[in-house]
Amino acid sequence: MGEASRWHRGGTSKHKLHYRKEVEIRTTLQELLLYFIFLINLCILTFGMLNPHMYYLNKVMSSLFLDTSVPGEERTNFKSIRSITDFWKFMEGPLLEGLYWDSWYNNQQLYDLKNSSRIYYENILLGVPRVRQLKVRNNTCKVYSSFQSLISECYGKYTSANEDLSNFGLTSNSEWRYSTSNTNSPWHWGFLGVYRNGGYIFTLSKSKSETKNKFIDLRLNNWITRGTRVIFIDFSLYNANVNLFCIIRLVAEFPATGGIVTSWQFYSVKLLKYVSYYDYFIASCEITFCIFLFVFTTQEVKKIKEYKSDYFKSIWNWLELLLLLLCFVAVSFNIYCNIQIFLLLGQLLKSTEKYSDFYFLAYWHIYYNNIIAITIFFAWIKNMFLAIINDTYSEVKADYSIGRRPNFELGKMIKQSYKNVLKKFRLKKAEKDEDKKTKDSGDFAEQARREGFDENEIQKAEQMKKWKERLEKKYYSVEIQDDYQPVTQQEFRELFLYAVELEKELHYINLKLNQVMRKLSAL
């Protein structure tokens, strides 16, 4: 019982405990405020990368290259391609007309073309488009013995092991010779397979008539064969009005079952970041984000050193580590993308006669946006559950669970600060002492004697009243600043006697109630 009598031996004073509570609450509020600023900064970074013009740029480009029909055939567009014949109609029709804009709607020559096409008069075609084909070898599938006399060729599905690397057709030109990849672009994940770089490649000309002749020549010489499994059409645009790049990839997959399955990708991205004043504001938010990341990392390292293995027993600590990991990944992606843009953008724009592979830059930029989106999701998850894992909230919840009135130090702090400000500006007079007790309206004992109670019952009632007042003052008073007061031996004895007397009173009341019920039933 040594711990029970700690208060009587001069333990921690209530004033010090109250001060410790206030320091704890102030620290909690500071952490909440700091994290709220971090969330605002992260939201600015996330939505600051978006531009409403991205949607409209994708929309107009997809409408031009996907929904435009072949002249005279309203139902034939890129989405509806089902055969090789449909594919060549698209290449010589909507694709050709969509890529080359060399005159106004009144047939007047466009101004300041500088040997480049301006799609919809506003979007500069960067470099020249590229067309790439991947094939599989013959005999990449096994023919059943009963059909071997009828079937001499068999082309299986595309895999890197089945890919055809040999030259074919008119081997004098590059589109008939296999070329290895010299770019850093990732492999393409299509509907029917994963396709690597390289293949049979040719680029389009700056001249519309030359490109059309190229398409006709390839069609007549059967550039597309039974072994063809996929054809990529890649090109990039830049709109200076909204400072956006649009990287476009049209994909036609040729399954082993026959027919064609089409798909597409339109990426509108902002590769030139720091141009306007708003961009510089976003840059300052990025620096602030790195500072927050350093502060939060330092805090978690200190916690790990303090709690050691116990730190990893909480799921909320794992959430904190996951959030930090995502933040570091996002920063790494951002740095990597900026470095690659700085190194490659000048080279890609240097020559207008070659294909400019912006797909690599757009691919990693989209991944960076996805990482930021996942990061802000988990950041808000942590924010929503921050109060649940907070110690102060847990103490208040525990007080309610035992039927005890919680002591809200935060409310007292705000109320006291408000009163101090009023007093300082003399807007409120000093309050009088409200702790004086009001006199009783009558004598409890005299009233009990007049009602016929004997002296023993009156003494027991007075004793129970004193116990009740003392216990309520001890455990239910809002003036008590410490929430954890141990019970001494004497207090435990008084509580026990108080409970015994309450049990006796309850038994006495039950007897009286039974007597009344019997009298009522006899009537």
Side-chain angles (χ1 to χ4, degrees), residues 38-169:
F38 167 75
L39 275 180
I40 294 177
N41 183 80
L42 186 58
C43 289
I44 293 175
L45 283 180
T46 304
F47 297 106
M49 297 182 300
L50 301 178
N51 188 325
H53 296 290
M54 292 179 177
Y55 167 76
Y56 295 109
L57 185 57
N58 285 342
K59 183 176 177 60
V60 295
M61 291 303 151
S62 61
S63 176
L64 176 63
F65 292 103
L66 301 181
D67 300 328
T68 304
S69 301
V70 176
E73 300 183 21
E74 295 182 356
R75 296 184 177 181
T76 304
N77 53 35
F78 184 78
K79 293 180 179 180
S80 64
I81 291 176
R82 294 296 179 266
S83 65
I84 297 177
T85 302
D86 293 341
F87 179 81
W88 284 119
K89 288 181 179 180
F90 167 77
M91 296 288 284
E92 297 173 22
L95 179 66
L96 194 67
E97 297 298 327
L99 288 175
Y100 296 94
W101 294 59
D102 51 7
S103 62
W104 287 99
Y105 53 87
N106 57 1
N107 293 326
Q108 290 185 2
Q109 190 71 20
L110 283 172
Y111 61 90
D112 195 23
L113 277 177
K114 294 184 179 180
N115 200 27
S116 62
S117 176
R118 290 180 180 266
I119 299 175
Y120 279 122
Y121 313 114
E122 302 293 346
N123 305 280
I124 300 177
L125 182 64
L126 301 175
V128 293
R130 182 188 69 178
V131 181
R132 179 168 65 96
Q133 176 188 183
L134 293 177
K135 301 172 57 181
V136 295
R137 301 186 309 273
N138 185 19
N139 298 322
T140 51
C141 51
K142 188 175 182 179
V143 180
Y144 189 68
S145 58
S146 300
F147 292 93
Q148 289 180 355
S149 60
L150 300 175
I151 302 174
S152 59
E153 296 178 339
C154 184
Y155 298 88
K157 67 178 183 178
Y158 177 85
T159 62
S160 57
N162 293 341
E163 187 174 357
D164 189 359
L165 306 179
S166 61
N167 301 333
F168 74 106

Side-chain angles (χ1 to χ4, degrees), residues 359-490:
Y359 186 82
F360 168 76
L361 299 178
Y363 178 84
W364 289 110
H365 194 276
I366 294 298
Y367 262 84
Y368 168 68
N369 292 349
N370 294 339
I371 290 295
I372 283 291
I374 296 173
T375 302
I376 197 172
F377 170 76
F378 282 104
W380 277 105
I381 289 293
K382 176 188 172 182
N383 180 67
M384 288 187 295
F385 290 97
L386 193 61
I388 297 177
I389 61 175
N390 184 268
D391 292 337
T392 304
Y393 175 82
S394 300
E395 291 176 6
V396 173
K397 185 177 179 181
D399 287 340
Y400 270 123
S401 64
I402 63 174
R404 186 175 175 184
R405 183 176 179 180
N407 191 7
F408 289 101
E409 287 85 353
L410 176 58
K412 287 186 176 181
M413 289 171 57
I414 296 175
K415 185 176 180 181
Q416 186 62 36
S417 301
Y418 172 73
K419 291 181 179 179
N420 292 338
V421 171
L422 293 180
K423 291 179 181 179
K424 187 174 182 179
F425 289 96
R426 298 180 180 178
L427 297 177
K428 184 177 182 180
K429 297 180 180 180
E431 296 183 356
K432 295 182 179 181
D433 186 15
E434 298 180 355
D435 296 332
K436 295 182 179 180
K437 296 182 180 180
T438 60
K439 296 182 179 180
D440 295 334
S441 59
D443 188 0
F444 173 77
E446 291 297 332
Q447 184 179 0
R449 290 188 183 96
R450 287 197 300 268
E451 293 180 0
F453 289 93
D454 58 26
E455 292 298 327
N456 292 332
E457 291 176 338
I458 294 174
Q459 291 178 2
K460 289 181 180 179
E462 289 180 342
Q463 185 179 11
M464 291 182 65
K465 183 180 179 181
K466 292 179 181 179
W467 285 347
K468 180 180 178 182
E469 291 176 352
R470 185 163 58 251
L471 293 174
E472 285 182 347
K473 183 178 179 180
K474 175 70 177 178
Y475 296 102
Y476 291 91
S477 176
V478 297
E479 298 176 358
I480 300 300
Q481 302 299 333
D482 181 38
D483 288 337
Y484 303 100
Q485 299 188 56
V487 180
T488 63
Q489 290 182 354
Q490 180 63 26

